[in-house]
Amino acid sequence: MSDARRTDAVLLLVALVWGSSYLSAQTATSALPVLLVLFARYALSALACLGVVAAPGRGPRRWTREELRAGLPLGLTQAAVLIVETYGVAHTSAANAGLIISLTIVLTPLLDRTGHRGGLPPVFYAAAGLCVLAVGLLMAGNGFHAPRLGDLLMLGAAVVRAGHVALVGRLTAGRAIRPLHLTTVQTLVGTALFLVPAARDLPTLAHADAATWTQLVYLALFCSVFAFLAQTWAVQRTSASRASLLLGTEPIWAAAVGVALGGEHFTVLTGLGAVLMVTGTYWGQSVERAHRATGVRRGEVRPPGEDIGRPGTPSIDTAAPAPPALLP
């Protein structure tokens, strides 16, 4: 296999793993309280990240002041995203969760005006409007009715995540911050935050069956640590546009996994909503990328940032943000 094909395969695997995380989170929360699932996922991720940081041959292991100053507030906002997102996926389908959270792609440029001096072009708002229509169809399900709690929570999670991503760029721009160290700080903050709320349910975790533990380990080690490291490796070996395109298949994988493994069903309305959501997010992403690149050519300063896929991961290119996915 050539290097290019190997890199593409890794990026597709990352998208698949992240897409499958919604069904895993849904399965785990059906057996354990949401806050306990979050604590276990954070704690396992933190242990794995600390192990990678401590591995020989990785250079300086100590955290810098900038990494701590950015990691502490970002750990709080990341935890806020996961609370809303995990409660949301517990009350809707995995397919809907993966598709609705894709709204982060078009919401983030609206909140983060860095690199968009003069405002976004009108066509971007057309793409955003298409995504809003898609959300309405996804919420409709088998017919138009009052929005379901889980879908509304996922919509809220997309808004909160977009704010978190904008904050990531603001706190890390122009600073020498190592992505792995930043992510480790965030997982430690999350572990500390959820320890007390989940404390009384810890005996339940000790008696969880093998299937539940498998979901927790998968969420922590594969959907978080492995995917983070794999993305870091892959995005350094391909173009921004290609990486963004491949990682953008995540909501498609979320829907496919939900239908194939979760026994979920697509109605005509949800199927149409899925198509419109994927179309709208890709369209909005391409418009924003072109607009940002035009600003750079005109001499604007493009600050270094991070991709909007997994806060704490290195930037693919600020002109080509990757799609959102469940946080580490």
Side-chain angles (χ1 to χ4, degrees):
M1 183 182 295
S2 66
D3 288 342
R5 289 181 179 275
R6 186 182 300 110
T7 302
D8 288 352
V10 170
L11 287 170
L12 280 175
L13 180 59
V14 170
L16 171 58
V17 167
W18 281 341
S20 67
S21 66
Y22 300 99
L23 182 59
S24 292
Q26 187 181 67
T27 304
T29 54
S30 67
L32 297 172
V34 169
L35 294 177
L36 185 59
V37 170
L38 289 172
F39 167 73
R41 181 175 182 180
Y42 262 115
L44 291 171
S45 296
L47 289 173
C49 286
L50 287 171
V52 176
V53 170
R58 294 197 59 85
R61 300 171 185 174
R62 296 184 63 180
W63 280 262
T64 65
R65 286 186 179 182
E66 288 186 333
E67 289 166 348
L68 293 174
R69 286 175 180 173
L72 292 175
L74 290 177
L76 295 174
T77 55
Q78 184 188 78
V81 175
L82 270 182
I83 289 175
V84 182
E85 192 173 87
T86 308
Y87 273 111
V89 78
H91 293 89
T92 189
S93 67
N96 270 20
L99 290 162
I100 293 175
I101 203 68
S102 297
L103 272 173
T104 303
I105 292 176
V106 293
L107 289 174
T108 300
L110 297 175
L111 298 178
D112 179 16
R113 306 310 297 237
T114 303
H116 311 133
R117 294 179 185 177
L120 291 161
V123 68
F124 179 86
Y125 296 95
L130 188 63
C131 291
V132 172
L133 175 60
V135 170
L137 293 173
L138 290 169
M139 289 183 176
N142 294 316
F144 291 100
H145 50 73
R148 290 171 292 186
L149 174 62
D151 292 331
L152 290 176
L153 287 172
M154 292 308 300
L155 183 59
V159 175
V160 176
R161 181 183 286 182
H164 169 77
V165 171
L167 185 62
V168 169
R170 192 167 301 174
L171 294 180
T172 60
R175 296 178 174 88
I177 293 178
R178 292 163 294 182
L180 177 59
H181 285 66
L182 179 63
T183 298
T184 304
V185 174
Q186 290 174 283
T187 58
L188 289 171
V189 170
T191 302
L193 284 175
F194 291 114
L195 175 58
V196 173
R200 67 176 184 177
D201 292 317
L202 286 177
T204 305
L205 184 63
H207 295 92
D209 58 25
T212 301
W213 271 105
T214 298
Q215 298 297 336
L216 293 174
V217 171
Y218 180 73
L219 285 170
L221 301 188
F222 288 88
C223 299
S224 298
V225 180
F226 162 76
F228 159 69
L229 294 174
Q231 185 199 32
T232 302
W233 175 88
V235 297
Q236 295 172 341
R237 292 165 171 79
T238 189
S239 68
S241 297
R242 192 169 186 82
S244 184
L245 177 66
L246 294 170
L247 290 172
T249 61
E250 180 195 340
I252 301 173
W253 291 115
V257 170
V259 172
L261 301 180
E264 298 174 359
H265 300 284
F266 261 21
T267 64
V268 174
L269 288 178
T270 53
L272 179 59
V275 172
L276 292 180
M277 178 62 75
V278 173
T279 302
T281 52
Y282 269 107
W283 183 17
Q285 184 184 50
S286 64
V287 171
E288 192 274 342
R289 182 170 60 242
H291 181 65
R292 188 184 292 268
T294 300
V296 172
R297 286 195 297 270
R298 289 175 179 172
E300 294 182 5
V301 177
R302 184 177 66 184
E306 297 193 359
D307 76 275
I308 69 172
R310 303 271 168 157
T313 60
S315 174
I316 295 174
D317 188 318
T318 50
L326 200 62
L327 304 176

